Amino acid sequence: MVEGLVERLRSIVGARGTASVRPRRLAEWRRLLAECADAKGGEVSARIRAAALAQTYLKLDDSARHALLRLISLEFGPVPARVAAAHEAYQRAAGTAGQWDAEADLRAALRSARIRILTQFNAIPQGVKFLVDLRADLLRYLEEDAELAPLDRELESRLAAWFDVGFLELQRITWNSSAALLEKLIQYEAVHEIRSWTDLKNRLDSDRRLYAFFHPRMPLEPLIFVEVALTDHLADNVQALLDEHAPVFDARRADTAIFYSISNTQAGLRGVSFGNFLLKRVIDDLQRDFPKLRNFATLSPLPGFAAWVGKNPQELAAEGLELDAAQLAAGKWTQDATAARRINEALAQLAARYLTLAKAGRGDGRQPRDPVTRFHLGNGARIERINLQGDASSKGMQQSFGVMVNYLYDLDDLEQNVESFAREGAIAMSAAVRRLARQK
């Protein structure tokens, strides 16, 4: 039955998709989506129909996918007249014995056909992964098509429920994990590129740990993973930390865990947050295996720093620097020890002000501009140290002139820091960072 539906749909959209969707094709999609939403023929038939639609969607070109998603977004929302009638009935029933039945009817009226379609997709084999990838498409189209927002809001809400942290499984990944999974780590690493299998093996050695969250319906797809180095100091340079030729540290002597890379892997799960839960679970796991660990910190990039400096050249002038942002990113100044010392002093002060004073400029104006800073402060960390020339790679120079940051997770202060940041926008920081931020 699935094969028959797929062939029928192919005849409608064309075997390779189409750049311009004709009215007849839209009409047929509309009918099939309605049958799917209404579970025509029963739930089994609805899911078979959903499977056929999913297979066909994957064969469409970008333009046709966009058209299909617009159709779902615009034509399969709640029926206004039904919502109005249910709301009126609920108002009349308020305070009576029929209030709860009227409330249930109102909820049913508000539940859109979009939700029913998405739920049918969820039930098919590989349906969860299909919906995650579908939302990745949706987010791309949404940048220039605001009318897709209703579908995006509902899909994000569904994914947030389906990917609740209570459903996720924490796994430690080792060199003995499957080759397919290790290849995905190389593909998904978003902070510090994994350059080779030797590089990956180094990151999985006895003085390292790598943990990932998995969903039971996507067992071969890490959703987010964190890379950890076990050390006896607060690491300040990522090239040194990832040096394949450095001797392996005796993990039994470690008192510090450095989280040096956190990578979200699924673009379609944007807005679905579980990174904070990952760090907390990893800290618990590390404490169990290494009781001597006392310090938990990151060695983090400062991804928006160079862009902020480029938009605020007066900050450079205030520090007496004659180089512009492009020249700083090029990095030639690092080859002159005298110039580098003077420029790094200025960059330290600029970075401290960027971390503590630059705001996002949208939503809550108290939120720091830098996304990595927002993440760690929101999880209770404090800004501990600014590391100059902490990342000498081309990417590190382009995004932050080589500056990196240690965020420290002091387990005794986490709860208070979270509450202060959420309530007042208070930024926890060390005395050294505070002094740098005040210098002008």
Side-chain angles (χ1 to χ4, degrees), residues 277-295:
F277 294 101
L278 174 66
L279 289 182
K280 291 171 184 175
R281 292 276 298 277
V282 168
I283 288 174
D284 288 343
D285 195 81
L286 289 170
Q287 284 184 308
R288 184 184 64 247
D289 292 347
F290 302 97
K292 293 181 180 179
L293 287 178
R294 295 291 179 269
N295 306 308

Side-chain angles (χ1 to χ4, degrees), residues 36-91:
C36 187
D38 295 338
K40 185 176 180 180
E43 289 297 326
V44 173
S45 294
R47 290 179 184 179
I48 290 174
R49 195 173 289 109
L53 280 166
Q55 289 183 36
T56 301
Y57 176 87
L58 295 174
K59 299 180 185 301
L60 297 177
D61 65 15
D62 231 33
S63 177
R65 288 186 181 191
H66 186 177
L68 179 55
L69 293 177
R70 276 184 59 84
L71 188 65
I72 299 173
S73 183
L74 296 177
E75 298 189 23
F76 288 86
V79 179
R82 185 183 173 197
V83 173
H87 182 260
E88 184 179 346
Y90 174 73
Q91 295 281 34

Side-chain angles (χ1 to χ4, degrees), residues 18 21 76 81 85 111 128-129 187 196 204 229 313 326 387 408 435:
T18 176
V21 181
F76 288 86
R111 190 172 189 267
V128 173
K129 175 60 174 170
Q187 173 189 348
S196 65
L204 298 174
N387 300 306
L408 183 69
R435 284 193 298 271

Side-chain angles (χ1 to χ4, degrees), residues 362-384:
R362 54 180 173 77
D364 188 343
R366 298 175 304 179
Q367 291 285 310
R369 181 186 182 94
D370 190 79
V372 176
T373 306
R374 289 198 300 271
F375 174 80
H376 289 297
L377 293 179
N379 289 323
R382 72 169 179 256
I383 305 172
E384 184 66 11

Side-chain angles (χ1 to χ4, degrees), residues 189 191-193 195 199 202-203 208 227 229 233-244 246 258-262 298-302 385 387-397 399-400 402-406:
E189 167 59 51
V191 183
H192 303 295
E193 178 187 5
R195 301 176 300 277
D199 184 5
N202 180 56
R203 301 187 193 204
R208 305 298 164 97
E227 298 170 63
H233 64 283
L234 198 61
D236 62 0
N237 183 281
V238 74
Q239 274 77 39
L241 197 68
L242 296 178
D243 184 0
E244 299 171 19
I258 299 292
F259 303 96
Y260 63 89
S261 179
I262 302 174
T298 76
L299 180 59
S300 298
L302 202 56
R385 189 172 70 187
N387 300 306
L388 303 165
Q389 294 185 260
D391 183 358
S393 70
S394 175
K395 178 180 178 181
M397 295 300 294
Q399 70 179 8
S400 65
V403 176
M404 299 193 78
V405 181
N406 294 126

Side-chain angles (χ1 to χ4, degrees), residues 335-356:
Q335 300 169 15
D336 182 328
T338 302
R341 184 165 50 253
R342 179 174 58 84
I343 291 171
N344 275 325
E345 288 176 359
L347 288 177
Q349 295 174 30
L350 280 175
R353 291 205 294 276
Y354 170 71
L355 286 164
T356 60

Side-chain angles (χ1 to χ4, degrees), residues 296-314:
F296 300 89
T298 76
L299 180 59
S300 298
L302 202 56
F305 182 44
W308 176 75
V309 170
K311 292 179 180 178
N312 297 276
Q314 71 278 5

